[in-house]
Amino acid sequence: MNRARLEAFSDGVFAVAITLLAFNLAVGGPGAHHPTLAAQLAGHWPAFAAYTISFATIGIIWVNHHALLRNFAEIDRALLFANLLLLFFVVAIPFTTTTIAAYLRAGGGSASLAAALYQGVFEGMAVSFTLLFWWAIRRDHLQVPLTPGQARQATIRFGIGNLGYIIGIGIAFISPPASLALSGLVAVYYIFEQTPARAQRPPGHGGPATTTAASDPAPAEQ
Amino acid sequence: MNRARLEAFSDGVFAVAITLLAFNLAVGGPGAHHPTLAAQLAGHWPAFAAYTISFATIGIIWVNHHALLRNFAEIDRALLFANLLLLFFVVAIPFTTTTIAAYLRAGGGSASLAAALYQGVFEGMAVSFTLLFWWAIRRDHLQVPLTPGQARQATIRFGIGNLGYIIGIGIAFISPPASLALSGLVAVYYIFEQTPARAQRPPGHGGPATTTAASDPAPAEQ
Amino acid sequence: MNRARLEAFSDGVFAVAITLLAFNLAVGGPGAHHPTLAAQLAGHWPAFAAYTISFATIGIIWVNHHALLRNFAEIDRALLFANLLLLFFVVAIPFTTTTIAAYLRAGGGSASLAAALYQGVFEGMAVSFTLLFWWAIRRDHLQVPLTPGQARQATIRFGIGNLGYIIGIGIAFISPPASLALSGLVAVYYIFEQTPARAQRPPGHGGPATTTAASDPAPAEQ
Amino acid sequence: MNRARLEAFSDGVFAVAITLLAFNLAVGGPGAHHPTLAAQLAGHWPAFAAYTISFATIGIIWVNHHALLRNFAEIDRALLFANLLLLFFVVAIPFTTTTIAAYLRAGGGSASLAAALYQGVFEGMAVSFTLLFWWAIRRDHLQVPLTPGQARQATIRFGIGNLGYIIGIGIAFISPPASLALSGLVAVYYIFEQTPARAQRPPGHGGPATTTAASDPAPAEQ
């Protein structure tokens, strides 16, 4: 199994899933039984919030997926199925996004369940990604091995994401909107959190291949 | 026809089909005429079961498709159309998945027909894949020819999958849920069944290119 | 503009369009106001026929698109927009397929219009493809130029497809099912029609690169 | 991050978004409560107009995206997220296209809002593209640097697009159909507007790599 086709298939799934998110935004047509477009859009705010957060989350996982796979020396059958597990959760995101958009304002147990489901699928995705990562470093499948410091850094980053989603599942049963907001904060954290790891890399480590961000072996932070 | 574009197009179809599966999961919005989200999700279990089984089945056929094409020395027009026949069935999977999800709990003749259709499309996919494989070994289109033992192994594996789906069509008319469960078992079989074939490969066969799973010429097991 | 990305984008559009065709197949769920699944599927036959014909037609145009682009020496902005015109019609095929599936059995002017629209989009696709082809040979953009005999052959093939779809538009106003059947015949014609052109190729023409079907410069038959 | 995978993912998103546009075209089935197909299609003209304009706009941005990325020497994390911002707006286009198609004939505030939203998402896409472009030339990330004249040309072109969409947002509140027509004019402008920039390029600039349009470093006009 060459890496190119694994990436092509994964990219296809990421691209379709991220584009289908916007289906969620559809409003009803004009008519006697529908309010004005402005009223519909205003009432539709959970759909826009969930669309934005899900888009950012899939975008980030795609960036990290790419960074991780670039550093793989070898791709075996176990990794293919671990990757399919990751995609299994990615594909479910448009569903959980639609569900939280529909139920967030309904309140009660349904809103909590929708929010917990939304966070739960993100958590499944994060756990799958952690599996991919640990499997790679345990089996020495990386082209450029991580230093112990980098592995610790990466573990801390994974932990923060996983912890964030688990806390989010808990908060879902107290305040579904707060749970949604937390998943947005996790996305923002991952967008900005990478500079420290790069700054800590000892100069010259790994030779010329590491002089650009493109070949950084450690950005697998989620 | 170069292999890269055949793979890219096939990967695109696999990726879209696997992502569309989740459309099947959509539940109704909140409202007086809908039960709570928890009740809807619980009543929706055939959709989740069918989604999981279809996802695994498309994922496996993608892994095997990749392994088979890697070993093709030449791609001619007949192979292109055999590949289109395979994709014809892959594209139909979201339809049969939605149909079994909708009808499994309805019982009666409709549930049986839905389950038979679900298995029938898997069988069409398995037969197309077998055609691709036999056409390749008959016409000497493989880069690394199979040993007679490997060809026999592959034939047994194809046979088990094909037999499983045909039995599944029969069981559909007795118990649709058992038929669905059987297609799940076939998927599990294909996830774990590959080690024997690799163990049987004579050491050194095919030179250094066969020292990793990535260049194994025989994983075309479905 | 390198060819790889033009192919990747086009393949993506072909793959999504061909996969969306199956959305057309969805049947209603079980319920008091719906007939049995068997009755629904039987009444749904135009959807299955149209799905099969559209799938074959997009598959063929993809095969031919690939063959044509392989032989392009240079890709300029005019060609990019000619290609977008082709994709404009490809993207419309799921829409015309759904429409003919819905209206074929309704009869009357609506069925005729649906059939004419279905053939009309195929004709638009065929004309765009002819444009791509003529533009390439007029501007000397082919890597391996066609012999006059090959150009004549290709023109005859284009003519048959274009003529078939135009006749189909006319027949749509007499018998919509006959019009649908004709578009199926055109697809079958293109699946089997290529051997003569290959047999006529003078031996040795074009050097070693033409010894496999993969580098045949003339399969751009639609 | 290598450019190939960034392009593959972006192409996937462009391809899915452009193909989903046609979902917008679906008409109701035959039945007592629906008019004839001809009447439905005639009443549906805003959907066809919006489909055509959105298709052309996504097609153009894809052509320009490709041209810009080809000239990037290096891809860092900031660029990845700027690209995700661009795709965020691209993915929203099927939604705004459906919305303007549904509301254009409704008139009143809803039609104006739908038209403003339609232009607003195009403007968001144009601003993101401008960001990508400026970030690249400020940080010296281009393989072939632009001459001051080329940078000025590109800035003028960006300005015309951005201005066109902003005017379109304003016109939306006076005449939604005129606003839609303006976005069509902007698309036509970008299809034909590139020759001047190419003519101004000093002969020999950039070496042999610039002798074909394929390696033109300056077509990033939107």
Side-chain angles (χ1 to χ4, degrees), chain A residues 4-13 84 87, chain B residues 11 14-15 18 62:
Chain A
R5 195 169 170 194
L6 176 60
E7 291 181 346
F9 176 68
S10 303
D11 281 353
V13 172
L84 280 174
L87 297 180
Chain B
D11 282 353
F14 283 121
I18 214 169
W62 170 75

Side-chain angles (χ1 to χ4, degrees), chain B residues 1-2 5-6 8-9 12-13 16-17 20 23 76-77 80-81 84 87-88 91-92 95 99 102-103 106 110 113-114 117, chain C residues 11 14-16 18-19 22-23 25 28-30 36-38 40 51-52 55 59 62-63 65-66 70 190 194 214 221:
Chain B
M1 170 67 62
N2 64 350
R5 194 168 172 194
L6 175 59
F9 176 68
V13 171
V16 180
L20 288 182
F23 254 61
D76 61 20
R77 203 171 165 90
L80 286 182
F81 285 108
L84 279 174
L87 296 180
F88 179 83
V91 163
F95 160 65
T99 304
Y103 279 94
S110 289
L113 182 57
L117 202 66
Chain C
D11 282 352
F14 283 122
V16 181
I18 213 170
T19 312
F23 254 60
L25 302 176
T36 64
L37 179 58
Q40 284 192 64
Y51 164 60
T52 306
F55 189 100
W62 171 75
V63 170
H65 186 262
H66 185 146
R70 271 184 67 81
Y190 278 123
Q194 194 194 17
E221 76 267 35

Side-chain angles (χ1 to χ4, degrees), chain B residues 33-52:
Chain B
H33 53 298
H34 281 129
T36 64
L37 179 57
Q40 285 192 63
L41 292 177
H44 227 50
W45 70 261
F48 292 98
Y51 164 60
T52 305

